[in-house]
């Protein structure tokens, strides 16, 4: 099965990135497929060669929070940043990054700006994975450098 860009970005976006916790998305090198595994319920493909997919926001890393804070400081007026920071103190940064209609702090146009940044990062991470898969496939297609016996 061919791995689509949508499948790849979805796995990266929803990757907890913590095998010993909530789990992680992986790429099976031998089966050329994506799968999810975690220590509490390991997948049988863990016995075969694989690599872990990157995570947009690994569990406990605060990566998206830091990126969002930097983003609002660079893009929006200090008064709006203060409003969002006050909101985040009360309800958390995870909600501050969400649309107002869903209980978050962002207006439509603000959410669209932030989503553009998130999508760009997802595309970058997906491109890294695609490059790694291509590299692995190129290595697999290399002829065996050891000469046959008797030569």
């Amino acid at each position: 099965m061919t791995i689509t860009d949508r499948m790849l970005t979805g796995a990266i976006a929803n990757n907890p990135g913590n095998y010993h916790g909530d789990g992680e998305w992986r790429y099976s090198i031998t089966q050329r497929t994506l799968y999810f595994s975690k220590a509490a319920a390991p997948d049988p493909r863990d016995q075969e060669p694989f690599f872990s997919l990157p995570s947009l926001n690994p569990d406990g890393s605060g990566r998206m929070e830091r990126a969002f804070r930097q983003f609002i400081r660079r893009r929006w007026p200090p008064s709006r940043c203060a409003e969002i920071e006050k909101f985040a103190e009360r309800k958390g940064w995870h909600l501050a990054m969400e649309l107002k209609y869903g209980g978050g702090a962002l207006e439509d146009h603000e959410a669209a700006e932030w989503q553009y940044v998130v999508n760009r990062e997802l595309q970058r991470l997906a491109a890294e994975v695609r490059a790694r898969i291509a590299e692995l496939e190129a290595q697999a297609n290399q002829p065996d450098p050891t000469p046959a016996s008797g030569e």
Side-chain angles (χ1 to χ4, degrees), residues 131-149:
R132 185 156 182 202
I133 291 170
E135 181 181 306
L136 289 167
E137 288 180 357
Q139 288 174 358
N141 292 331
Q142 293 286 329
D144 189 0
T146 57
S149 61

Side-chain angles (χ1 to χ4, degrees), residues 50-142:
F50 69 86
F51 68 85
S52 300
L53 295 184
S55 177
L56 184 62
N57 194 29
D59 280 355
S61 74
R63 182 175 185 248
M64 292 302 292
E65 176 186 325
R66 286 190 308 278
F68 184 67
R69 285 177 168 205
Q70 291 173 1
F71 172 76
I72 65 172
R73 285 187 201 120
R74 284 192 311 263
R75 301 281 301 193
W76 298 337
S79 60
R80 182 62 178 136
C81 293
E83 289 172 1
I84 293 174
E85 287 171 359
K86 187 175 180 180
F87 180 96
E89 287 173 10
R90 290 190 325 269
K91 297 190 178 183
W93 282 100
H94 64 287
L95 274 178
M97 293 184 264
E98 299 294 330
L99 262 172
K100 197 177 209 176
Y101 311 114
L106 302 181
E107 300 292 338
D108 286 339
H109 68 281
E110 294 169 335
E113 285 181 51
W114 174 236
Q115 191 61 50
Y116 176 80
V117 171
V118 171
N119 287 340
R120 196 173 64 213
E121 179 63 3
L122 277 171
Q123 290 170 350
R124 185 187 71 75
L125 292 171
E128 283 180 7
V129 172
R130 287 252 182 242
R132 185 156 182 202
I133 291 170
E135 181 181 306
L136 289 167
E137 288 180 357
Q139 288 174 358
N141 292 331
Q142 293 286 329

Side-chain angles (χ1 to χ4, degrees), residues 19-42:
Y19 178 73
H20 296 288
D22 290 334
E24 68 182 6
W25 279 96
R26 295 176 167 182
Y27 177 79
S28 169
I29 296 169
T30 53
Q31 295 185 21
R32 296 180 176 167
T33 186
L34 300 176
Y35 71 98
F36 189 80
S37 188
K38 60 183 176 178

